[in-house]
């Protein structure tokens, strides 16, 4: 049985656990500018502190350790350390030329740890989700209030950047491609277009997860779509799952998961923040508090994949995993999924 077959078998049998926040865990290391640079980039012309994706090259042991902690906590799927791994986002650090290597090495690190855990317990295979973030540009909105027609990026520019990232993530060993934290569905469509091109060119079927972000109590994405409209906009491809992450805590996310769960034949994913940030931008919700809120998803049969976003740690994931194993996954119309 290949990895895709194992993945679809697993999602039909149980609720799969996604890992928690990479950034939250990286913060615990208190890395300095010198740590980010390492020996290789010690003379780089611009500041590099904050470029978390770079740590896959300069502090790979730390990234591996974070992945291992999430797998020990019960994660079935771990995300690569590549949230900003496009030429568009890496332009801030003048590191566009490193994009392929960053994604390839990040996927390789995650794959190595997953393979270790799968070998120890073949009944619980672990999977790598190649993380594809939204970039720091938006194709639908103007960054200039005085020129509403202006765009800082084109659809084709996004497509090219996403394609390079996706190819490197696959080459490094990703089992899934996760287009996540989508605030502008047009950006996501460019990523999905690029992934579909790769499927055609390589004659493969890639399990794809799509995760949008509802930015506030309006119940809409930043580019103005409701949960249902977002679902319709991305349902043209055969997806492993569609869902939401970030911006909101578990409790606030419930109505939007209900809205898409009843309308979709794909798996439904959710990885909310550990509550809403406090005045200092910190997340205070404990593992137990978050698990208690996630319980509503499970009791209502809303989800197939559950994890955590900002502020979540291995403790949060363990609490969620311990709870989720007592519940059945939401029923998926398998005929609409990857043919295995």
């Amino acid at each position: 049985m290949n990895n895709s077959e194992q993945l679809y078998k697993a999602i039909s049998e149980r609720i799969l656990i996604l890992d928690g926040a990479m950034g939250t865990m990286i913060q615990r290391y208190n890395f300095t500018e010198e740590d980010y640079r390492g020996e290789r980039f010690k003379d780089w012309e611009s500041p590099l502190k904050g470029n978390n994706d770079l740590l896959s090259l300069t502090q790979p042991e730390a990234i591996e350790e974070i992945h291992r902690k999430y797998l020990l906590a019960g994660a079935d799927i771990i995300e690569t350390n590549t949230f900003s791994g496009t030429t568009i986002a890496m332009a801030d650090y003048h590191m566009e030329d490193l994009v392929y290597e960053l994604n390839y090495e990040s996927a390789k690190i995650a794959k190595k740890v997953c393979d270790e855990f799968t070998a120890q317990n073949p009944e619980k295979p672990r999977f790598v989700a190649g993380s594809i973030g939204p970039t720091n540009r938006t194709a639908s909105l103007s960054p200039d209030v005085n020129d509403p027609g202006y765009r800082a990026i084109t659809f084709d520019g996004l497509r090219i950047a996403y394609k390079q990232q996706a190819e490197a993530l696959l080459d490094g060993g990703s089992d899934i491609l996760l287009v996540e934290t989508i605030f502008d569905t047009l950006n996501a469509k460019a990523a999905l277009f690029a992934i579909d091109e790769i499927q055609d060119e390589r004659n493969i079927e890639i399990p794809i997860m799509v995760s949008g972000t509802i930015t506030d109590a309006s119940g809409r994405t930043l580019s103005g779509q409701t949960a249902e409209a977002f679902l319709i906009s991305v349902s043209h491809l055969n997806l492993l799952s569609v869902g939401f992450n970030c911006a909101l805590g578990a409790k606030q996310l419930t109505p939007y998961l209900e809205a898409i769960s009843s309308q979709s034949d794909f798996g439904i994913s959710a990885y909310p923040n550990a509550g809403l940030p406090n005045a200092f931008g910190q997340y205070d919700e404990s593992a137990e508090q978050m698990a208690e809120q996630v319980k509503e998803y499970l009791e209502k049969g809303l989800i197939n994949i559950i994890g955590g976003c900002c502020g979540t740690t291995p403790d949060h994931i363990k609490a969620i995993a311990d709870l989720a194993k007592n519940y059945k996954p939401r029923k998926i119309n398998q005929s609409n999924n990857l043919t295995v």
Side-chain angles (χ1 to χ4, degrees), residues 179-197:
V179 182
E180 65 170 323
T181 322
I182 298 160
F183 59 81
D184 180 352
T185 310
L186 194 55
N187 284 37
K189 278 180 168 291
L192 294 172
F193 190 93
I195 293 167
D196 205 27
E197 280 188 321

Side-chain angles (χ1 to χ4, degrees), residues 18-23 25 70 75 77 79 307-310 312-314 317:
L18 187 67
D19 61 5
M22 175 62 75
M25 296 301 288
Y70 279 125
I77 302 168
E79 294 183 55
C309 205
C310 303
T312 58
T313 66
I317 298 308

Side-chain angles (χ1 to χ4, degrees), residues 253-303:
L253 207 53
T254 309
Y256 312 116
L257 291 172
E258 287 177 320
I260 63 169
S261 182
S262 61
Q263 302 290 322
S264 178
D265 290 328
F266 305 128
I268 298 294
S269 70
Y271 50 115
N273 292 345
L276 297 173
N278 62 26
F280 303 102
Q282 304 295 314
Y283 294 87
D284 300 325
E285 204 164 85
S286 70
E288 293 71 30
Q289 287 170 323
M290 188 173 178
E292 188 56 41
Q293 292 173 40
V294 163
K295 196 172 184 181
E296 187 178 359
Y297 304 171
L298 305 171
E299 288 173 343
K300 290 182 173 178
L302 297 178
I303 54 163

Side-chain angles (χ1 to χ4, degrees), residues 7 12 30 54 108 160 194 197 260 268 278 300:
L7 176 62
S12 69
N30 292 314
L54 182 62
K108 216 167 132 189
I160 292 163
E197 280 188 321
I260 63 169
I268 298 294
N278 62 26
K300 290 182 173 178

